Amino acid sequence: MNTYQSMNAHSLDPALSPQVQAAYLVPGEGVVDPVRLVDSLAQVVKNAGGQVRENLAVTGFRTVGDKVTAVRTNEGELPCQAVVIAAGMWSGTLMSQ
């Protein structure tokens, strides 16, 4: 692992905030662009015949036992056989419902 002070850290990643004082680099580690990752996963689901719904407010789930059978949204219920929760920092809140 290598550590870098502010000027050197910004030379490694110019997108860093000017407020970054120091950083570390672990060789072999990577960075994931979350938007590209989720877009890629959505395409895999679509290619497999699944449906991806975006920009809906999820209000809960209908379950039978421990299986989710529908997602409740601001546009009504969406029956499902499987659910992928990709809500970022709100995922924990959704999963607790």
Side-chain angles (χ1 to χ4, degrees):
M1 177 171 64
N2 301 312
T3 57
Y4 298 89
Q5 296 304 313
S6 182
M7 184 191 299
N8 291 333
H10 288 93
S11 70
L12 291 172
D13 186 350
L16 289 173
S17 163
Q19 296 175 332
V20 171
Q21 299 293 314
Y24 67 93
L25 175 67
V26 179
E29 292 292 315
V31 176
V32 173
D33 177 338
V35 173
R36 287 182 61 197
L37 174 64
V38 172
D39 286 346
S40 296
L41 293 173
Q43 192 59 52
V44 169
V45 169
K46 291 174 186 177
N47 290 346
Q51 200 179 72
V52 175
R53 301 290 300 264
E54 299 180 77
N55 302 311
L56 296 176
V58 175
T59 59
F61 304 96
R62 182 166 32 100
T63 59
V64 174
D66 62 353
K67 181 176 169 67
V68 175
T69 59
V71 177
R72 293 187 177 116
T73 77
N74 58 319
E75 294 183 6
E77 281 195 358
L78 302 170
C80 63
Q81 295 176 346
V83 175
V84 175
I85 297 175
M89 63 187 259
W90 298 276
S91 293
T93 302
L94 283 173
M95 293 180 67
S96 68
Q97 295 185 16

